[in-house]
Amino acid sequence: MYAQEEAQALADQVHQWESAVLQSQQNLNNIVDIFNVAKVQGCVETSFAAINSLGRIYSALWTKGLLSRNKDSDDAAQEKVGDWLRSNYTMYTELLRGMLGSKEAPLQVGALRLLVQMLQKEGHGIQQTTNVYS
């Protein structure tokens, strides 16, 4: 269990990491740090802050097209980053699905809301790259 001050400091750190990721792709490794906070048992507030931060990050990445596969890309480094992001995104959605079984109702509701939001972003991202429904 975290003390209130520790939990607040960790939540503040999560928001700083999130801001850094949203400002520059050079900070994508912060996703791992936020993910580790989200997985911590015992502090609903910090887990909730972390899953919401990751939701905003992945929403932005879908919007920018960084999670979509690009068959026409010749940039091997960018493809490697995309593969890494998609792998982490999969771990994130698995974490959210696991939280649906949490004893904490706020985590259950938050996880469900984020899963639906991610499904919408993913569907929109797929639509953008394939132009099937245009």
Side-chain angles (χ1 to χ4, degrees):
M1 243 6 200
Y2 285 102
Q4 186 64 29
E5 298 84 26
E6 291 173 327
Q8 185 58 50
L10 193 52
D12 291 343
Q13 181 63 55
V14 164
H15 290 298
Q16 289 174 5
W17 287 328
E18 174 190 352
S19 293
V21 170
L22 294 175
Q23 288 175 7
S24 172
Q25 287 186 37
Q26 293 177 343
N27 298 311
L28 289 174
N29 284 333
N30 289 349
I31 291 172
V32 175
D33 296 322
I34 299 170
F35 189 77
N36 288 334
V37 171
K39 292 190 303 185
V40 171
Q41 300 290 319
C43 188
V44 175
E45 292 84 8
T46 56
S47 292
F48 192 77
I51 64 170
N52 280 290
S53 284
L54 288 168
R56 288 186 292 272
I57 289 169
Y58 285 118
S59 289
L61 293 174
W62 273 114
T63 300
K64 293 177 183 176
L66 295 175
L67 287 169
S68 301
R69 289 199 183 273
N70 187 356
K71 295 178 184 176
D72 299 331
S73 177
D74 292 333
D75 188 353
Q78 192 64 25
E79 273 301 308
K80 204 171 224 184
V81 169
D83 289 344
W84 182 82
L85 286 170
R86 284 185 292 278
S87 173
N88 281 281
Y89 174 74
T90 299
M91 290 189 303
Y92 171 63
T93 57
E94 288 171 358
L95 175 68
L96 291 176
R97 286 193 305 268
M99 287 181 169
L100 292 175
S102 172
K103 293 179 182 179
E104 300 291 338
L107 281 180
Q108 291 175 338
V109 172
L112 181 59
R113 180 184 56 77
L114 287 164
L115 281 167
V116 170
Q117 180 183 337
M118 292 299 106
L119 185 60
Q120 288 173 331
K121 289 290 183 178
E122 192 171 341
H124 185 69
I126 291 169
Q127 180 182 353
Q128 291 284 35
T129 58
T130 61
N131 292 320
V132 172
Y133 301 107
S134 297

